[in-house]
Amino acid sequence: KSMTLDPTQSRVFAHLAELKVIQGKHQEAVDYANRGIKNKNVWADCYYYKAVALSNLKRGAESLATIDQYLSLCHPTKRSLALETKASILENMGRYSDALPIYEEVYKDKKQDTYLFRESNCLEKMGKPLQAAKVLDKLIVNNPQDEAALVQRARLYVKAGDLKSAEADYSRAIAELPIAAYYKERAALYKKMGRLDLYQKDLKSAAAL
């Protein structure tokens, strides 16, 4: 109805592009965003949703160029979201070393745990499990009962060959949330350590849940 009243409203095309991204119809999102961008008074969000859609279409280079256009136009209050999206695009392209400093910048601004997980993931993908574990240290100091962070740090310790630290983290996680998946992971660790009695015990605990 809005388009019928005024087909030149760039903002309408931005909203339509957003809806198509939510529906997973990413090419349609790009098409709507492009129509909005062609209008005289461009609504900046057209670039944002075009970038997101292009990333989902695995068109990384185009997506990166588009999110940079959005960053040059967006309101300062939306800069952190735009930077997060840019880092995510880079991560999806396998450019982890480029995504990492952006996640660090956004974390300094927002102080949200999700950015620490993303930083850690980038370091892990870069083949630096101990550095990735140190990033999670910050999160666990502030949230010592976060079993998901403890398990993820345990996995990183396993990759780094620090099995003793991995065992401690798995045990802390199980104390917080004793689920079968965590018992099975610790069982696999005990098997790797040659502690078959504890391996069998954890498998029995997992089976009982």
Side-chain angles (χ1 to χ4, degrees):
K1 184 176 180 180
S2 180
M3 287 174 65
T4 301
L5 292 170
D6 184 359
T8 67
Q9 286 191 78
S10 181
R11 184 174 184 174
V12 173
F13 291 109
H15 287 311
L16 285 167
E18 178 185 7
L19 290 169
K20 292 302 178 181
V21 166
I22 292 168
Q23 293 174 339
K25 298 177 180 179
H26 301 298
Q27 185 55 56
E28 290 183 42
V30 171
D31 294 340
Y32 275 127
N34 281 336
R35 288 174 68 182
I37 289 166
K38 288 177 182 177
N39 285 328
K40 186 176 180 180
N41 297 312
V42 179
W43 192 257
D45 284 6
C46 288
Y47 288 103
Y48 179 79
Y49 291 110
K50 179 180 178 180
V52 173
L54 286 168
S55 181
N56 285 315
L57 290 167
K58 309 301 181 186
R59 292 159 64 179
E62 294 173 77
S63 177
L64 195 58
T66 305
I67 200 64
D68 281 337
Q69 287 177 293
Y70 179 70
L71 276 162
S72 70
L73 296 169
C74 71
H75 192 275
T77 58
K78 294 186 176 183
R79 178 174 169 77
S80 289
L81 175 62
L83 285 172
E84 177 190 352
T85 302
K86 180 175 181 176
S88 181
I89 291 166
L90 288 164
E91 195 176 349
N92 289 339
M93 294 171 71
R95 292 174 56 178
Y96 306 110
S97 61
D98 293 323
L100 180 61
I102 301 176
Y103 283 132
E104 290 171 345
E105 180 182 346
V106 178
Y107 176 73
K108 287 177 184 176
D109 181 42
K110 295 294 186 181
K111 300 296 182 185
Q112 293 179 5
D113 292 348
T114 183
Y115 302 124
L116 292 177
F117 276 111
R118 301 297 286 272
E119 285 179 44
S120 181
N121 182 64
C122 285
L123 286 164
E124 181 184 4
K125 296 292 187 182
M126 291 162 66
K128 299 178 178 181
L130 279 180
Q131 286 180 244
K134 286 187 180 298
V135 170
L136 295 182
D137 290 350
K138 304 175 195 175
L139 193 158
I140 293 167
V141 165
N142 293 325
N143 301 284
Q145 296 177 317
D146 188 335
E147 84 287 340
L150 287 164
V151 167
Q152 180 57 24
R153 190 171 68 175
R155 293 167 182 157
L156 292 167
Y157 281 138
V158 170
K159 281 192 173 184
D162 186 352
L163 304 188
K164 186 175 180 181
S165 294
E167 179 193 2
D169 275 354
Y170 275 126
S171 296
R172 284 176 63 185
I174 288 169
E176 295 296 335
L177 186 65
I179 61 174
Y182 293 168
Y183 275 113
K184 287 178 181 179
E185 286 196 43
R186 191 173 67 174
L189 174 65
Y190 282 140
K191 187 175 183 181
K192 188 184 291 283
M193 297 169 77
R195 299 168 68 179
L196 298 182
D197 55 334
L198 294 175
Y199 162 71
Q200 293 292 345
K201 184 179 177 180
D202 270 3
L203 287 183
K204 287 180 182 178
S205 295
L209 293 171

